[in-house]
Amino acid sequence: GENVEQHPSTLSVQEGDSAVIKCTYSDSASNYFPWYKQELGKRPQLIIDIRSNVGEKKDQRIAVTLNKTAKHFSLHITETQPEDSAVYFCAAQKGKLIFGQGTELSVKP
Amino acid sequence: EAGVAQSPRYKIIEKRQSVAFWCNPISGHATLYWYQQILGQGPKLLIQFQNNGVVDDSQLPKDRFSAERLKGVDSTLKIQPAKLEDSAVYLCASSFSGAANTEAFFGQGTRLTVV
């Protein structure tokens, strides 16, 4: 079945550094790739998304890149801040919305 | 606009008992998802509805789990009988249209503990 693999499972960076989270997907028909941020005890919330007809999208300190040929996409956070600390999930969708396993990001002051 | 509403927020039951969760999606959202999120893991899709039809329920343990979305609006997810491994947060989400793949908005979730 469809699968989304996410790496790393944990990531620790110093404040101001960049963080990169990578995902691969199995269904080549997937055409929508959202990223969600989940703070402890809260609901997942969308932070950025990209569609298959676009290779890169940026929103302030957050950017996402998509390589359809390789079936992988990545989240880039620049100038990280302590409030960026959370669990981040990638997802891929054609019909079903399938999530990766999550990356716990810790930004140390 | 109002968000996705779920109830109850917390539930503790003994194994072999039954439990039901309720979800009211954002008005006008055709697609409704139920996810199971075990602590430390990503959300696992249990069932996805488009209006009142099932898009996918391949990961739903049908011997104990059932879900319905009567009239294409509210939805209920039931577990009967519950097992210890069902302890998780059950998240409901909705989106305007699954076919167009738009943002899925999540509810607060129901935290189920089976003892």
Side-chain angles (χ1 to χ4, degrees):
Chain A
E2 295 89 335
N3 190 44
V4 176
E5 295 287 335
Q6 183 172 346
H7 299 280
S9 56
T10 61
L11 180 59
S12 182
V13 300
Q14 287 295 131
E15 183 177 0
D17 287 351
S18 295
V20 180
I21 302 170
K22 299 181 178 182
C23 290
T24 59
Y25 58 98
S26 60
D27 186 355
S28 56
S30 297
N31 56 18
Y32 178 63
F33 306 90
W35 286 87
Y36 284 80
K37 177 182 180 181
Q38 187 175 32
E39 297 177 341
L40 190 63
K42 296 191 177 181
R43 72 188 84 187
Q45 292 194 298
L46 183 78
I47 55 171
I48 195 168
D49 57 11
I50 192 169
R51 300 185 186 278
S52 59
N53 59 346
V54 176
E56 185 173 357
K57 183 177 179 180
K58 188 173 182 180
D59 182 4
Q60 298 180 46
R61 298 186 295 109
I62 295 173
V64 58
T65 58
L66 171 65
N67 183 328
K68 286 191 298 180
T69 302
K71 293 191 289 186
H72 65 70
F73 56 115
S74 301
L75 177 72
H76 305 252
I77 306 174
T78 58
E79 302 172 21
T80 54
Q81 301 167 4
E83 51 265 39
D84 294 331
S85 296
V87 179
Y88 292 81
F89 293 99
C90 63
Q93 184 171 29
K94 165 56 180 172
K96 301 186 291 184
L97 179 61
I98 305 298
F99 281 81
Q101 301 90 334
T103 296
E104 184 175 2
L105 174 64
S106 176
V107 180
K108 300 185 176 181
Chain B
E1 66 181 3
V4 177
Q6 287 189 248
S7 66
R9 287 294 310 278
Y10 306 93
K11 191 75 177 178
I12 300 175
I13 62 172
E14 294 183 349
K15 58 183 179 183
R16 291 187 290 274
Q17 285 187 324
S18 62
V19 64
F21 313 128
W22 174 81
C23 174
N24 185 18
I26 293 172
S27 178
H29 280 195
T31 304
L32 185 146
Y33 313 81
W34 280 103
Y35 287 90
Q36 179 192 60
Q37 187 174 27
I38 293 172
L39 187 63
Q41 298 183 18
K44 172 187 170 185
L45 181 65
L46 294 176
I47 189 166
Q48 180 173 330
F49 293 95
Q50 181 78 10
N51 297 306
N52 61 350
V54 175
V55 171
D56 187 88
D57 62 359
S58 59
Q59 298 267 61
L60 188 72
K62 297 180 186 63
D63 58 334
R64 298 184 303 107
F65 286 64
S66 65
E68 60 182 10
R69 191 184 184 196
L70 299 176
K71 301 180 182 178
V73 182
D74 293 8
S75 178
T76 56
L77 176 69
K78 297 179 181 177
I79 307 175
Q80 181 180 10
K83 294 185 175 181
L84 296 176
E85 58 261 36
D86 298 333
S87 294
V89 175
Y90 290 84
L91 292 164
C92 178
S94 70
S95 63
F96 180 70
S97 172
N101 295 336
T102 57
E103 177 182 357
F105 294 85
F106 283 84
Q108 294 274 36
T110 296
R111 183 177 298 276
L112 174 68
T113 303
V114 182
V115 298

